[in-house]
């Protein structure tokens, strides 16, 4: 059994995720794995099993999606997610989950490299799935 099959099983084992969301996670992790096959997905596999989704308004969640590694919760702003490329936003979250540790993700362990961490995550997400936001609707 290859690493992606373990990842699919981990996604499927999460009772908090809808069938559609599970399929979206599978699609995105497949795209990631095709281009970055040497990246260890064991952290993602463990976190996705217990990932919870919480939806809220712009007063509670300031961006379209925010992953909290400490709580292992993906917060989704229901208003903003409709105005952006949801696939891109979810890929950003997948990248955050892959690199999550204690209370941070990526390499921003001290909080001093937050902008750089977010910028590089954004670049990788654009490389993997693009960013199909419709600027005419704003």
């Amino acid at each position: 059994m290859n690493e992606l099959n373990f990842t699919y099983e981990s996604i499927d084992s999460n009772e908090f995720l809808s069938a559609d969301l599970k399929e979206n996670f599978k699609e995105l992790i497949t795209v990631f794995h095709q281009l970055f096959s040497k990246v260890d997905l064991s952290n993602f596999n463990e976190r996705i099993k217990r990932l919870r989704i919480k939806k809220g308004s712009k007063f509670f969640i300031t961006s379209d999606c925010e992953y909290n590694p400490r709580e292992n919760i993906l917060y989704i702003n229901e208003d903003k997610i409709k105005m952006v490329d949801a696939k891109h936003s979810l890929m950003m979250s997948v990248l955050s989950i892959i690199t999550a540790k204690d209370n941070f993700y990526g390499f921003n362990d001290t909080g001093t490299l937050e902008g750089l961490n977010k910028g590089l995550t954004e670049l990788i997400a654009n490389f993997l799935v693009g960013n199909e936001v419709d600027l005419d609707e704003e």
Side-chain angles (χ1 to χ4, degrees), residues 17-56:
L17 301 178
S18 68
D20 287 341
L21 200 49
K22 287 178 182 182
E23 289 306 312
N24 285 326
F25 275 119
K26 287 177 186 178
E27 177 185 335
L28 293 173
I29 202 68
T30 301
V31 169
F32 175 84
H33 188 70
Q34 286 172 344
L35 294 168
F36 299 107
S37 60
K38 298 212 185 288
V39 173
D40 181 14
L41 295 177
S42 58
N43 188 53
F44 178 85
N45 294 345
E46 287 307 309
R47 287 180 173 270
I48 198 73
K49 290 176 187 176
R50 301 174 317 278
L51 179 73
R52 292 177 294 148
I53 309 292
K54 291 200 176 180
K55 297 177 183 176

Side-chain angles (χ1 to χ4, degrees), residues 19-135:
D20 287 341
L21 200 49
K22 287 178 182 182
E23 289 306 312
N24 285 326
F25 275 119
K26 287 177 186 178
E27 177 185 335
L28 293 173
I29 202 68
T30 301
V31 169
F32 175 84
H33 188 70
Q34 286 172 344
L35 294 168
F36 299 107
S37 60
K38 298 212 185 288
V39 173
D40 181 14
L41 295 177
S42 58
N43 188 53
F44 178 85
N45 294 345
E46 287 307 309
R47 287 180 173 270
I48 198 73
K49 290 176 187 176
R50 301 174 317 278
L51 179 73
R52 292 177 294 148
I53 309 292
K54 291 200 176 180
K55 297 177 183 176
S57 71
K58 64 183 176 182
F59 302 109
F60 178 64
I61 305 164
T62 57
S63 65
D64 51 324
C65 285
E66 295 176 15
Y67 175 65
N68 182 319
R70 178 171 284 160
E71 298 174 331
N72 197 29
I73 296 174
L74 180 59
Y75 292 98
I76 298 177
N77 180 319
E78 294 179 298
D79 297 326
K80 285 188 178 183
I81 198 72
K82 295 174 186 170
M83 298 172 16
V84 299
D85 181 356
K87 183 178 277 191
H88 174 84
S89 295
L90 195 54
M91 180 57 88
M92 292 278 295
S93 299
V94 165
L95 294 171
S96 298
I97 296 168
I98 290 170
T99 62
K101 298 174 183 79
D102 303 329
N103 62 347
F104 68 96
Y105 61 89
F107 54 84
N108 188 33
D109 58 344
T110 63
T112 59
L113 300 171
E114 183 177 356
L116 185 60
N117 194 59
K118 285 187 180 202
L120 288 174
T121 305
E122 183 79 35
L123 285 170
I124 294 168
N126 280 342
F127 172 70
L128 293 169
V129 295
N131 192 353
E132 299 295 325
V133 65
D134 186 1
L135 297 175

